[in-house]
Amino acid sequence: MPTNPWPSDALAATDIRTCDARAEIERCRGILAWLDAIPADELLRTTPPPLDADLISVVVPMYNARRWIDACLKGLLAQTHVNQEIFCVDDASEDDTYTHLVERFGADKRICAIRLGATVGPYQIKNWVIGSLARGHWIALQDADDVSHPLRLQAQCEWMRATGQRVSGTCAHQFFPAGISHPLGRGGAVEHGGVRHNLAFFPSLEPTFDRSPHDARPEQRAGTEFWPACRSGPYKVYQRVLADHGTQMMQRSLVLEFGGFDGRTRVAGDSDFNARVIRFHAIGNLPTVLYSRRFHADSLTQHPATDLASAQRQDYRARRALGETAIDAALAEGNVDRARELCTADLYSGDVVVREMRSGFPIAEPACR
C-alpha cells in the first residue's frame, strides 16, 4: 500500500451541522470516485493484523453482493487505521460473491473470507463472528453494499476513547436512484447523473428508561439551530432510527453483555439491538460524515419481501412492541434487574453451517460441513 495514498479531502470530515451540504456531498462523491479508480492491489497488506488493544474486528455479512463488494472492501482496506481483521461472511449467495472476493482480495492478510452452506441472515452472522471468531476489543459493522470513508475507524475509535462511549455511529452520505423515496428528507436531494444524494444526521443519545427516543420528531432530533437547514437542504433526519447500523462501532464486551442481535429475525434486528442498549447505555453518534450508504432496489429496506411495509417487518414490530411493553412494566415496578434481563438476547447463531473458509490471520477455524 502506498505510504500516503489518501486524497487530502478524504481526511477532512467536518461537523454536518455547520458544513456546506453540497460541498460535503461533492467530497463524498470524490471519495467514492477515488476508491473506484485505485487498483485493489495497491491496498493489499501481506502482514497479519497484530493482536493488541488497537485491533478492530470488522463484520461484513454478504448476500449476492458481487456488484458492490469491491467498493466496500476498498473502503475498509484504505482505512487510516490499518490494524483490523475483516470477517467477510457470504450468506450462501446465488452469485459469485465469495469466489470473486477471494480472487480479488484474498491476498490481504487482514481478511477472513467465509462461505456458509445455507442462508441464515445478517444477525446470526454477526452473533457468530462476534461470539466465536472476533479477537478485537472493538467491533465495527459494515454493510456489503455501503462504503466506509478512509478516516472512519480511526475517528470513531479515537472519539469513543475520548468520550468513554461504548457504542457509536456516524452521520452518512446517502445515494440512491430516482424512484426510491425512503431516504428523501424535507429539503430534497442533490442529483448527479440520475443519482440522488443527501446527508443523514443522527444525534447522540443519552441512556433512558423512557421509550421517547424512538418517538422524537425529526425537528426535535435535529435541534432548533440545525432544523431550518434540514428543512431547506439535502438532509435526512430519521425519526425512529437511533443510529445508522452500518456505521456502528462498539466494544465487543457490550455486544456480549446484551446477548448480541436477535438471530431469529432477518429484518430490523439492528433497531432491536439499539432499542435494548439505549435503556442502559448512551448511543453516541459522531456529527461527521464517515460513511456512504447505498440504497437500491434489492436493499432490505426496498425489496418488497422485506421493505418497511412488508409483512415480515410488521410481524417483527408487533413482537418487539410486546417486548418493549414488558420492559416498561418491569421498570414501572422498579425492577431494573428484570428489565435488563428482558433487554438481553441469547447470541443465537444455531443455523450457521460453514462450507468454506480462507483466513489471512490465525483464528480457531470451525469444522466445515
Side-chain angles (χ1 to χ4, degrees):
M1 185 173 178
T3 304
N4 186 21
W6 305 282
S8 59
D9 60 356
L11 310 181
T14 56
D15 193 314
I16 192 175
R17 297 164 295 187
T18 58
C19 72
D20 181 313
R22 285 167 174 78
E24 182 67 2
I25 287 171
E26 282 303 304
R27 188 184 73 86
C28 295
R29 292 180 66 235
I31 291 172
L32 296 181
W34 172 73
L35 288 170
D36 182 60
I38 192 169
D41 290 348
E42 293 189 16
L43 300 173
L44 303 182
R45 288 182 177 268
T46 57
T47 304
L51 183 57
D52 59 26
D54 291 327
L55 179 63
I56 298 174
S57 299
V58 186
V59 188
V60 189
M62 309 179 298
Y63 181 74
N64 291 349
R66 170 65 172 80
R67 293 168 290 175
W68 327 118
I69 200 61
D70 280 33
C72 170
L73 283 182
K74 283 183 179 181
L76 291 173
L77 299 180
Q79 290 292 305
T80 57
H81 184 103
V82 299
N83 190 14
Q84 49 177 318
E85 54 181 20
I86 306 169
F87 294 92
C88 300
V89 185
D90 182 71
D91 201 9
S93 293
E94 297 172 344
D95 66 7
D96 65 340
T97 298
Y98 178 82
T99 54
H100 171 78
L101 183 150
V102 169
E103 290 172 1
R104 191 84 186 273
F105 299 96
D108 194 294
K109 295 298 184 180
R110 295 169 292 177
I111 290 179
C112 175
I114 303 167
R115 176 157 53 178
L116 301 185
T119 303
V120 301
Y123 305 117
Q124 285 200 39
I125 287 173
K126 292 169 187 175
N127 285 345
W128 176 62
V129 170
I130 295 169
S132 302
L133 304 179
R135 305 175 301 165
H137 173 76
W138 304 100
I139 300 293
L141 305 175
Q142 170 75 49
D143 289 342
D145 48 3
D146 296 341
V147 182
S148 286
H149 297 183
L151 191 59
R152 177 199 162 187
L153 297 184
Q154 176 186 332
Q156 275 187 274
C157 195
E158 290 177 352
W159 185 77
M160 291 174 73
R161 283 175 167 159
T163 61
Q165 299 279 357
R166 297 188 69 190
V167 56
S168 78
T170 79
C171 296
H173 157 237
Q174 301 186 143
F175 61 110
F176 45 94
I180 291 181
S181 59
H182 174 58
L184 292 174
R186 294 285 184 97
V190 173
E191 185 167 335
H192 293 279
V195 178
R196 296 179 177 182
H197 304 258
N198 63 16
L199 304 176
F201 172 73
F202 300 89
S204 290
L205 298 167
E206 292 300 316
T208 176
F209 286 155
D210 195 341
R211 295 172 63 183
S212 60
H214 305 280
D215 302 321
R217 297 188 303 273
E219 55 267 35
Q220 293 174 309
R221 302 194 74 196
T224 54
E225 293 186 3
F226 186 38
W227 181 242
C230 294
R231 291 185 62 186
S232 60
Y235 296 97
K236 170 71 174 180
V237 181
Y238 288 86
Q239 180 171 348
R240 293 179 175 271
V241 181
L242 304 185
D244 184 340
H245 189 59
T247 73
Q248 287 194 286
M249 179 185 291
M250 54 201 71
Q251 291 179 344
R252 181 169 177 265
S253 60
L254 177 84
V255 185
L256 300 179
E257 180 182 324
F258 282 86
F261 302 92
D262 183 350
R264 294 171 177 82
T265 181
R266 297 189 185 182
V267 297
D270 45 0
S271 296
D272 169 71
F273 176 82
N274 285 323
R276 291 184 279 115
V277 168
I278 193 64
R279 301 281 193 162
F280 297 92
H281 294 281
I283 293 180
N285 288 302
L286 279 75
T288 48
V289 177
L290 297 167
Y291 192 83
S292 286
R293 185 184 186 194
R294 184 196 311 268
F295 286 84
H296 53 88
D298 293 327
S299 300
L300 285 177
T301 57
Q302 302 296 319
H303 193 280
T306 55
D307 67 20
L308 299 183
S310 65
Q312 277 195 61
R313 287 189 187 265
Q314 291 180 21
D315 290 345
Y316 192 61
R317 286 192 198 105
R319 284 194 284 133
R320 280 186 57 202
L322 290 174
E324 292 277 2
T325 300
I327 295 166
D328 289 337
L331 292 171
E333 296 169 357
N335 193 342
V336 177
D337 289 341
R338 175 57 179 162
R340 192 177 188 94
E341 180 184 343
L342 292 169
C343 286
T344 304
D346 61 0
L347 207 70
Y348 181 75
S349 61
D351 300 322
V352 169
V353 175
V354 176
R355 178 180 172 186
E356 191 173 350
M357 174 182 286
R358 175 170 173 171
S359 181
F361 50 89
I363 57 173
E365 296 191 17
C368 296
R369 289 185 277 171

